[in-house]
Amino acid sequence: MIDAASKAFFHFLARNESLKHLASKYGMASDTSFARRFIAGETVDEAIAVARAIEGRGLSQTLDYLGESVATLEEADAATADYGRILDAIVASGVGRNISLKLTQLGLDVSTDAALGNLRRILEPAKAGGFFVRIDMENSPYTDQTLEIFEHLWNEGFTNLGVVLQSALFRTAKDLPRVVGRGARIRLVKGAYKEDAEIAYQRKADVDEEYLMQMEYLLTHGNFPALATHDAAIIDAAKAFVTRQGIAKDRFEFQMLYGVRRDLQASLTREGYGVRVYVPFGRQWFPYFMRRLGERPANVGFVLKSLVSER
Ligand code: FDA
């Protein structure tokens, strides 16, 4: 995690339309284009090929069809219909049935009811097909609605649904026992968004301290928690904690992003831990890509290098 100012700078760039246009033109143009380090491809077939390769190395995966902040119900409806085809393609391919999605892709900015209805339209075939569906957590204006939609659908019987909590937010201390109490599966992350000091920790050390406490709580009280981090110190602490407490390796999993710390993904797998790789794909990759640069400005160097080498 980097300091708040750099995070804010990349969030500002993510909203720049000219930059988005330029990046979208060159970022995925060839097999070596810069965005391919973090994005599996623009089509579901490319994503499935990546998922298959990941599974071939003994890891599991969750596929994320990229898209967020849609401004009309028509776009939300189209994204929901796309999910139907994606579920079919995953079933036909035989790769693991696990997807991650964002509620603003399903219309949350336009109508909470529409987003809920769209998610239900995805969950019905997903449940019948044995899929696990994770709602990603977006920035803090959406936290309440996301948890409400999650709880509503959970109470309807969609227990194949999980959610994400962010250690950076002060409120997570209260949200965590609330969601754990339902028996739902939680993915714990530090938080990818720039948040104000009134509601969120700004220093890496403070976020890490919260993460460690929440991780221990999840490992002892949670239902198959996902520890989503590339932070080697936190991962070592998790390994030491489960060993001390006698928690079996199949009671939780680590999760990491496609293209980040592949070395650590492989070494954890060799040690017998479950590792799930989050595999994003689709044409709307720019905001996701910019968040990855914002987490680690050194990544900008590799983008520039690949731009120069492609000329
Ligand atoms: P931290 O940022 O402290 O980084 C620790 C180390 O990891 C770095 O020193 C570096 O080695 C490596 N690293 C981290 N990010 C990197 C990058 N982009 N490129 C290269 N190396 C990097 N957030 C959110 O708000 N809502 C969500 O739903 C999700 N979902 C999600 C799913 C999964 C599977 C993961 C792994 C992460 C998320 N996140 C997320 C993102 C998360 O909140 C956080 O921003 C990133 O994971 C980076 O934080 P770390 O925990 O890795 O630690």
Side-chain angles (χ1 to χ4, degrees):
M1 206 174 114
I2 55 158
D3 67 61
S6 331
K7 227 176 185 179
F9 177 63
F10 282 94
H11 282 259
F12 163 75
L13 290 183
R15 291 193 298 274
N16 184 301
E17 283 303 318
S18 324
L19 198 60
K20 179 176 175 177
H21 180 75
L22 258 180
S24 301
K25 197 160 163 197
Y26 297 109
M28 298 284 287
S30 76
D31 284 352
T32 54
S33 298
F34 58 84
R36 289 201 183 259
R37 153 124 189 238
F38 297 114
I39 315 293
E42 293 197 333
T43 67
V44 67
D45 289 343
E46 286 174 292
I48 284 172
V50 167
R52 196 171 276 130
I54 287 169
E55 291 181 352
R57 295 197 298 273
L59 295 86
S60 48
Q61 47 74 29
T62 178
L63 288 187
D64 169 40
Y65 173 49
L66 292 166
E68 55 197 89
S69 311
V70 308
T72 66
L73 290 182
E74 289 71 29
E75 286 171 275
D77 190 57
T80 306
D82 286 345
Y83 272 104
R85 289 185 281 277
I86 290 164
L87 296 184
D88 289 345
I90 293 174
V91 169
S93 73
V95 299
R97 299 178 185 189
N98 193 308
I99 59 168
S100 298
L101 48 74
K102 290 187 173 51
L103 289 178
T104 65
Q105 184 182 24
L106 304 183
L108 191 58
D109 278 328
V110 194
S111 148
T112 307
D113 283 350
L116 189 146
N118 285 335
L119 181 52
R120 189 188 288 113
R121 272 169 63 199
I122 296 169
L123 282 170
E124 280 162 355
K127 191 175 179 195
F131 277 82
F132 180 76
V133 178
R134 176 87 61 183
I135 312 175
D136 286 345
M137 188 58 83
E138 300 180 69
N139 42 341
S140 58
Y142 302 108
T143 313
D144 272 329
Q145 285 159 292
T146 302
L147 291 178
E148 278 160 26
I149 289 178
F150 162 71
E151 286 177 346
H152 190 107
L153 290 164
W154 176 272
N155 290 338
E156 284 183 17
F158 290 108
T159 51
N160 59 325
L161 189 59
V163 75
V164 178
L165 292 176
Q166 300 155 326
S167 297
L169 295 186
F170 301 158
R171 61 173 289 164
T172 295
K174 287 201 180 115
D175 292 334
L176 188 64
R178 165 176 156 191
V179 184
V180 165
R182 295 187 177 271
R185 280 161 64 171
I186 294 174
R187 173 198 293 153
L188 187 64
V189 301
K190 292 189 187 179
Y193 300 87
K194 159 82 188 102
E195 302 287 359
D196 289 342
E198 288 78 50
I199 60 163
Y201 298 101
Q202 304 294 306
R203 293 173 50 236
K204 173 177 162 62
D206 294 334
V207 179
D208 289 359
E209 197 181 317
E210 287 300 301
Y211 193 103
L212 286 167
M213 260 173 355
Q214 292 160 354
M215 172 186 93
E216 293 190 357
Y217 179 82
L218 270 174
L219 286 168
T220 37
H221 298 92
N223 171 16
F224 197 69
L227 308 177
T229 181
H230 318 91
D231 190 324
I234 288 184
I235 290 169
D236 283 346
K239 284 158 59 174
F241 183 76
V242 295
T243 306
R244 260 195 329 270
Q245 301 294 319
I247 298 169
K249 287 176 177 165
D250 62 1
R251 299 295 302 278
F252 68 99
E253 67 183 7
F254 290 108
Q255 293 193 352
M256 296 192 205
L257 301 175
Y258 176 67
V260 180
R261 292 303 312 259
R262 274 174 270 208
D263 55 334
L264 200 48
Q265 296 176 16
S267 60
L268 284 169
T269 307
R270 277 196 302 274
E271 291 165 41
Y273 292 100
V275 179
R276 185 176 303 278
V277 182
Y278 182 101
V279 180
F281 73 97
R283 301 196 59 212
Q284 308 296 324
W285 50 263
F286 186 68
Y288 174 90
F289 178 74
M290 292 304 281
R291 283 196 291 278
R292 302 295 76 84
L293 295 192
E295 279 156 3
R296 194 162 177 262
N299 288 339
V300 176
F302 105 84
V303 171
L304 293 175
K305 235 189 279 165
S306 61
L307 277 177
V308 171
S309 66
E310 284 205 2
R311 278 171 195 280

